[in-house]
Amino acid sequence: LGEILRSPFIKRDYDIPISKTAPILLVERFYDLLGVTAIVAIGLFFTKIDKTVVLIPLGIIALIIILIGNKNTVNKIFKKLSKIKILNKIIPNTDEAFEVTYMLMKPKYFTVGISASFGSALLEVAGVYLFVLGLSGNIEFQDLIVLFHTVNFAAAASMIPAGIGIFEG
């Protein structure tokens, strides 16, 4: 929820339209999903954990890439979202929102976005690994990569605020 509030504050403080800043959140989450999926896929290569766990995120990524490549579909989605009372203030100009999304998916931004997401996700799991070691835990790093980020993905996909209950389970 805090991420969504970023756009109205930017509008208030810098007079940048919400239709230009709100899509950044969507693209940022997409890059996070790609980075985590890449880490999980690499981790699966080095572990005995079932490899099918990465199929759901890969399917979602493929769907998102197909959707973003089709301007008419994205505009229809933005228009439907803008009919929701709360969201119509966030997405007032669907064409502008699509253009921002499309621009942020260009190769130079794509490379930087994926690299940043991959690096931060890797640092996050390294921190958890060191924490587990500090508690005298015994887990292989590659297993933790797969388990930690798969659970993060499931918690986020549940749409429950902060994935409460999903992540802990």
Side-chain angles (χ1 to χ4, degrees):
L1 183 62
E3 295 285 337
I4 294 171
L5 295 176
R6 178 178 11 174
S7 292
F9 288 138
I10 292 172
K11 168 71 172 147
R12 182 192 70 197
D13 296 344
Y14 301 101
D15 200 32
I16 298 172
I18 291 173
S19 57
K20 283 190 174 186
T21 58
I24 294 170
L25 173 65
L26 298 173
V27 174
E28 183 182 341
R29 291 292 151 236
F30 176 66
Y31 287 153
D32 287 346
L33 178 64
L34 275 175
V36 166
T37 302
I39 287 173
V40 169
I42 292 167
L44 282 171
F45 185 74
F46 297 103
T47 187
K48 296 175 186 172
I49 296 174
D50 184 21
K51 311 298 188 245
T52 59
V53 74
V54 80
L55 292 178
I56 293 173
L58 287 176
I60 291 172
I61 290 168
L63 179 65
I64 291 170
I65 290 172
I66 290 168
L67 286 175
I68 289 175
N70 186 335
K71 185 175 183 174
N72 291 332
T73 304
V74 172
N75 275 333
K76 287 178 187 176
I77 291 169
F78 279 144
K79 285 180 182 174
K80 286 183 181 184
L81 288 174
S82 68
K83 290 180 183 178
I84 298 171
K85 189 176 181 179
I86 294 173
L87 295 179
N88 69 356
K89 292 180 182 177
I90 295 174
I91 310 173
N93 185 339
T94 57
D95 289 330
E96 191 171 53
F98 175 78
E99 291 303 321
V100 170
T101 303
Y102 188 74
M103 183 191 68
L104 290 173
M105 296 300 286
K106 289 186 177 183
K108 73 177 184 179
Y109 299 114
F110 187 86
T111 304
V112 171
I114 295 300
S115 299
S117 292
F118 187 86
S120 66
L122 196 56
L123 285 173
E124 185 178 28
V125 78
V128 171
Y129 181 70
L130 292 174
F131 180 75
V132 169
L133 287 179
L135 294 173
S136 300
N138 185 17
I139 188 168
E140 296 293 322
F141 185 71
Q142 64 272 16
D143 291 344
L144 184 61
I145 287 173
V146 174
L147 295 172
F148 183 77
H149 285 302
T150 302
V151 170
N152 271 339
F153 179 81
S158 72
M159 301 305 258
I160 296 171
I164 295 174
I166 305 294
F167 188 78
E168 290 77 14

